[in-house]
Amino acid sequence: MDRITFFIFFTSLLSLQCDHLATKDAKKPNIIILLADDMGYGDFEKIGGATETPNLNRLADEGVFFSNFYAAGPNCSPSRAGLMTGKSPAKVGMFSYRPPNHPLHLPDEEVTLAELLKNEGYQTAHIGKWHLGELAQNSKLNHPQPYEQGFDYSLGTENNAQPSHLNPNNFVRNGKTLGVVKGYSCQIVAKECMDWLNQKNNDPFFLFVAFHEPHAKVASPPEMVGKYADQSQKDAEYLANIDHLDMAIGRILDYLEENDLMDNTLIIFSSDNGSYRLASNAGLRAVKSYLYDGGIRVPGIVKWPKIKTNKKVIHSPTGLVDVVPTLCDIIGIDPPNGLDGTSLLPLLEGRPFQRQQPLYWFFYRTQPEIAMRIGDHMILGFDRNDTLPRPHQFSQDDYSYIKNIRLQDYELYDLSQDFSEKNNIFKTHPKKDSLKIILDHQLKEIRDNRYPWRNLPLNLEKRRIKTDWVKY
C-alpha cells in the first residue's frame, strides 16, 4: 500500500471512529412525558374544537401530531403499565385497573423506562397519578414503590385525586403522606415539576408527569366553568377541566423556555385512554373501557428539536407501547427483550417505518375482548358465550375465565374509510381467514402466558354482564 492510499484509508477510518464517538457521546436529551387521564381524542382543540387547548396546539405546531395514536389499554392501570414497559398490559398481568387494597401491580421483575434511563445517568421523577401499585407502601401487599421502579423522586397519588381535583388529600411524596394539599391537582403537579427541576443537577432528566385531569370526580375553577355557560353544568365542568389542564401544561412549557431547557428536551403528550364522555371522542365509536377506537385512540404529540421529518401530521398507527423502544433508540441503548412496541425514530426522521408486530389490546370485561390494528384495518374478536356477570375489579373468577376464553365472532373495519367503525366488512373481506388466525393466535398467547397472580378476591358483589358495565 503506497503512502497516499494508506493516508486515505487511515483518515477515513479515523473519521468513522470520530463519528461513532460523537454519536455515543452526544448530549442526551431531557425527556418529559405529559399524560392526561381520560382525555378523549376530540378534547384536543385541533380535533374537536369544543374546548381551548392553546398550549397543546403550540406543542403540536412545534412538533408532530400522530393522528392514529393509541393508548396501551382502555383504562388506567393497564395503559400506564404499557407505557412504562413497552409491553402489552396483558403480558405483564395488568388486566384491568387496580382498586385499593388489590394485589394487582406492575411486577418488580419488569424493567421500566425509568430504570433504563436511570442506568444511563438520568435523574428521574414521577409526579402525579401512579396507579401501578399501592402508594404509600402497604406491608400486607408490599408492592414496588416508584423509587424501586426507577424513580429518584415521586410526588403521587395511588389512583385519582381525592375527594376531587380541588384540595386533594391523598398525595404521597417519597413515601410520606401529605394530607390535604391546597389548590387544584393539575396546578399542584405543575408546581411540583418546576420545583423539582429547580433543584436537579446538570445531568439529563426524565420527568413523568401524570395529570389527574379530566378523570372524575372533576373540579374546575368557577371562572373557567363560566366560559361554557351554554353547556350543561356537567359538560361545562369537564370542558373547563381540559382548559385548566392545558394551562398547567403551559406553565411547564414556559418554565422550560425561560430556563433554556427546551432546545435539548423531548416532550411526549398523550392520554391513558379515551374519554368516558362520548362527545369528547370526536365521533369515534364507544368510550373508555371499550376496545373500539373511542376507548383507546387518543391524542399523540411529540416535540423535539431534532425531529427531521417535514410532516406535521403522521398517520401511521402508533401508541404508548412504542415509547420505550423509541427512547432507547434515541439515546442509543438496547431495549429490553419481549417488547410489543416499535421505535418511532424512523418516523421522526422521515425514514421508512415498519411495525415489528401489530398493535393489539385485550380487555376481558367488555366486548369485544381483543382488538388488533393491522395497517388501516382493525379486527376485533368477541366471546359471545360469556354471559356471566363480572365484577368491576379483577377477581379469581376473571383470571380463570381468561384461561379458557375463546372467540366466536369477529368484526373488521377499514379505518381509512370508516372512522366511526360502523361498517363491519369481516364477512366479505378476502383475507378474513388469515386475519382471524392472527387474532386467535394472539389470544392464545395471552391465555397461555398469564402472569401467575395469587390471592385475587373471590365472591365479589356488584356484578354485571359485559354489555351493562359501561353504556354509551
Side-chain angles (χ1 to χ4, degrees), residues 29-33 113 117 122 204-208 264-268 327 331:
N30 304 313
I31 297 165
I32 298 178
I33 296 176
L113 176 59
L117 295 174
Y122 277 76
F205 65 83
F206 167 49
L207 179 56
F208 176 33
N264 191 43
T265 299
L266 185 155
I267 303 172
I268 298 171
L327 295 178
I331 66 174

Side-chain angles (χ1 to χ4, degrees), residues 56-331:
L56 290 179
N57 298 349
R58 162 189 168 194
L59 207 60
D61 290 342
E62 296 174 358
V64 292
F65 176 71
F66 289 82
S67 65
N68 285 271
F69 198 83
Y70 286 90
N75 66 7
C76 306
S77 303
S79 202
R80 292 158 200 275
L83 167 62
M84 284 291 106
T85 64
K87 297 179 181 180
S88 163
K91 188 177 286 187
V92 302
M94 196 68 83
F95 292 109
S96 187
Y97 91 106
R98 69 164 308 277
N101 301 309
H102 195 283
L104 273 185
H105 65 278
L106 182 61
D108 196 30
E109 59 265 32
E110 295 297 335
V111 179
T112 70
L113 176 59
E115 289 173 306
L116 290 166
L117 295 174
K118 186 173 181 178
N119 288 340
E120 295 300 310
Y122 277 76
Q123 298 169 90
T124 57
H126 154 263
I127 298 173
K129 182 171 174 175
W130 180 238
H131 219 186
L132 293 172
E134 202 78 3
L135 189 71
Q137 185 59 275
N138 180 328
S139 59
K140 294 181 180 179
L141 295 172
N142 198 31
H143 290 169
Q145 296 296 287
Y147 77 90
E148 294 171 297
Q149 294 190 313
F151 290 101
D152 301 319
Y153 183 92
S154 173
L155 172 78
T157 61
E158 179 183 319
N159 190 346
N160 308 317
Q162 297 292 344
S164 74
H165 300 143
L166 179 60
N167 300 333
N169 60 18
N170 58 332
F171 271 105
V172 179
R173 181 184 283 119
N174 298 327
K176 296 182 180 180
T177 57
L178 300 185
V180 175
V181 181
K182 295 291 186 180
Y184 288 92
S185 177
C186 61
Q187 303 301 338
I188 294 168
V189 165
K191 182 180 183 303
E192 190 80 6
C193 290
M194 293 182 285
D195 289 346
W196 181 77
L197 288 169
N198 278 333
Q199 58 80 42
K200 69 171 185 59
N201 61 34
N202 292 324
D203 293 330
F205 65 83
F206 167 49
L207 179 56
F208 176 33
V209 189
F211 292 103
H212 302 89
E213 291 77 7
H215 194 295
K217 186 177 179 181
V218 168
S220 304
E223 64 274 16
M224 302 188 83
V225 177
K227 290 172 56 179
Y228 302 98
D230 59 331
Q231 304 281 338
S232 70
Q233 181 65 25
K234 185 175 181 180
D235 285 344
E237 286 271 3
Y238 181 96
L239 295 172
N241 211 243
I242 299 294
D243 270 18
H244 203 205
L245 166 66
D246 183 83
M247 181 186 295
I249 290 171
R251 290 179 65 194
I252 296 172
L253 299 182
D254 289 345
Y255 176 94
L256 296 174
E257 292 281 8
E258 293 164 4
N259 290 273
D260 298 322
L261 292 170
M262 194 67 87
D263 287 345
N264 191 43
T265 299
L266 185 155
I267 303 172
I268 298 171
F269 170 81
S270 192
S271 177
D272 63 344
N273 44 254
S275 179
Y276 51 87
R277 179 178 178 268
L278 185 61
S280 287
N281 292 331
L284 295 171
R285 183 173 178 177
V287 292
K288 173 185 177 178
S289 297
Y290 282 93
L291 297 186
Y292 291 113
D293 265 23
I296 54 177
R297 190 165 168 181
V298 291
I301 302 172
V302 176
K303 180 187 182 300
W304 185 35
K306 293 187 179 180
I307 290 176
K308 297 178 182 178
T309 181
N310 293 322
K311 295 180 179 178
K312 299 305 294 180
V313 179
I314 292 175
H315 299 294
S316 299
T318 51
L320 289 180
V321 293
D322 298 324
V323 170
V324 167
T326 300
L327 295 178
C328 286
D329 202 2
I330 286 172
I331 66 174

Side-chain angles (χ1 to χ4, degrees), residues 4-32:
I4 295 177
T5 305
F6 176 79
F7 177 75
I8 293 172
F9 171 78
F10 177 76
T11 53
S12 298
L13 185 65
L14 183 62
S15 175
L16 286 171
Q17 187 176 18
C18 289
D19 286 345
H20 171 72
L21 289 173
T23 301
K24 183 178 179 181
D25 295 332
K27 190 176 182 182
K28 295 171 184 173
N30 304 313
I31 297 165
I32 298 178

